[in-house]
Each structure stands twice: as C-alpha cells, then as structure tokens.
Amino acid sequence: MNENQENKTEIDDIQNSRGYKFAAGKGVMNLPNKLTISRVVMIPFFVLFFYVQFTGHYFVALAVFIIAALTDLFDGKIARKYHLVTNLGKFLDPIADKVLVSTAFIVLLTIPSVFTQNLGSWAIIVAGCGVAIILGREIIVSGFRTVAADAGIVIAADKLGKYKTTFQDISIAVLLGGMGIAELTDNIAGVIINYIGLACFAVAIVLTLLSGINYIVKNIEVLKK
C-alpha cells in the first residue's frame, strides 16, 4: 500500500468514527466553528461580568475568559484531527482570538489600580503602551497576512507567536484572579498575585515585540513583490 492509499484509508477511518460524525455537523457549521463563534459570543458576557458590581464578579469574568480561551485550544485540535478546516474557520478563528485578548486588556486598563499596584502612576502609562504594542502587532500581522494571501502565500504561525498568545492569556487570567481576591479580602495574596500577573504581562509584551519582528523579518520577501 502506497502513501496516498494509507492517507485515504486513515481519512476514511476518521470519517467513519463517532467522533467525526459528532464534530462534522452540517455544512460549515461544524463543531470547531461553533466553538469559535461561541468565543465571540462570550466576549460581551466577559465585559458585562467585569463591570457589573456583585460579590465575586471578577471571578465570574475570569471563568468566562478561561472558557473562551479554552475554546481556542480545542477548536483547532478538533479541526485538524478530523480534517474539518474550513474557510469560515480560517477567517473567524484569528479574529475571535484577537478580539477576546484585546477586549480583556482594554477593560483592564480602565481599572488603573491593576497596573499601579504600589508602583506609581507611571505604571499605567507603561501598561497603556504595552497594550498599544499588543494591538499594533496584531493589526500589522493581520495586514501582512492579507498581503501574503493576495500573493498566494500562506504564512503559518510560529512558536514565538504561540508563546506570545499563551503569556497574554495567562497574564489576563492572573490579573483577574488577583482582582477577585483583592475584592473579597485584604489579604496580601491578592497583591502578590497581581504582581505575578504584571510580570506575565511584561513577558507577553516582550514576546509580542519579538514575534512581530520575527514574523516580518522571516517573510519580508512578501513586501518586495
């Protein structure tokens, strides 16, 4: 049996499995795309629970954010495992990720104490610049990918980009956790967790810069065509 036949047999086995039938759905509305859309739908609820004042609302916002972030992990794995990659998914998935992370950082900036924790007012300025770097990187890379696509070039995500996303998500989650603890108790634990979140945020900014520069340098030929 040659390689093509083996691949066809493997695909046939996958498509005959119960998991595939459950994930495939109907048309483009397969399970990965449903998860991606659910991530977009959860963003307003994240903002709502972040601002609506009730005991533990930051923890509820944190739970919504974690669930939304996990859909990003699972939709890609399911799509690749069952060969359910669609143009709708390619379009929505990166947009959903960027809107989720961007929204989270923007609403966090509206609570300056998150970033000025015993550091002084200069910290909110640095934080604002950091968020601007994150937003700018995503816009530039998205534009870069559009130009590459027009030239018939597909640019895959690199490891730096994945590390960047991981640290962005971790920093948001830890900062939200610190806010939740600080809201419920005067224990120093909230302050310590907040500092950990700020450290992760700093790492995320550095990785964002490095991944953006690396992305452009590695694919600079796209701009020369």
Side-chain angles (χ1 to χ4, degrees), residues 62-203:
L62 170 61
V64 173
F65 178 80
I66 290 175
I67 293 170
L70 285 175
T71 64
D72 179 35
L73 174 66
F74 290 120
D75 62 7
K77 284 190 174 182
I78 294 171
R80 289 187 294 273
K81 178 178 179 180
Y82 293 112
H83 303 285
L84 295 173
V85 177
T86 64
N87 287 333
L88 177 64
K90 291 177 183 178
F91 170 72
L92 279 181
D93 185 59
I95 290 177
D97 301 341
K98 291 173 177 58
V99 174
L100 174 65
V101 171
S102 299
T103 300
F105 278 127
I106 289 170
V107 298
L108 283 171
L109 278 178
T110 64
I111 313 293
S113 60
V114 175
F115 300 97
T116 59
Q117 188 74 251
N118 299 321
L119 296 174
S121 59
W122 62 269
I124 190 65
I125 299 174
V126 174
C129 292
V131 172
I133 288 171
I134 290 172
L135 296 179
R137 186 267 184 196
E138 299 304 344
I139 293 171
I140 291 170
V141 169
S142 294
F144 204 86
R145 277 181 170 161
T146 300
V147 173
D150 287 341
I153 301 171
V154 177
I155 302 176
D158 59 7
K159 287 186 177 180
L160 266 178
K162 293 178 181 178
Y163 296 150
K164 173 266 302 180
T165 300
T166 299
F167 269 94
Q168 286 178 357
D169 288 346
I170 290 174
S171 65
I172 292 168
V174 176
L175 288 172
L176 285 170
M179 294 172 74
I181 292 174
E183 180 189 32
L184 299 179
T185 177
D186 292 330
N187 194 295
I188 195 173
V191 176
I192 294 173
I193 292 173
N194 183 267
Y195 282 137
I196 295 172
L198 291 177
C200 292
F201 177 56
V203 174

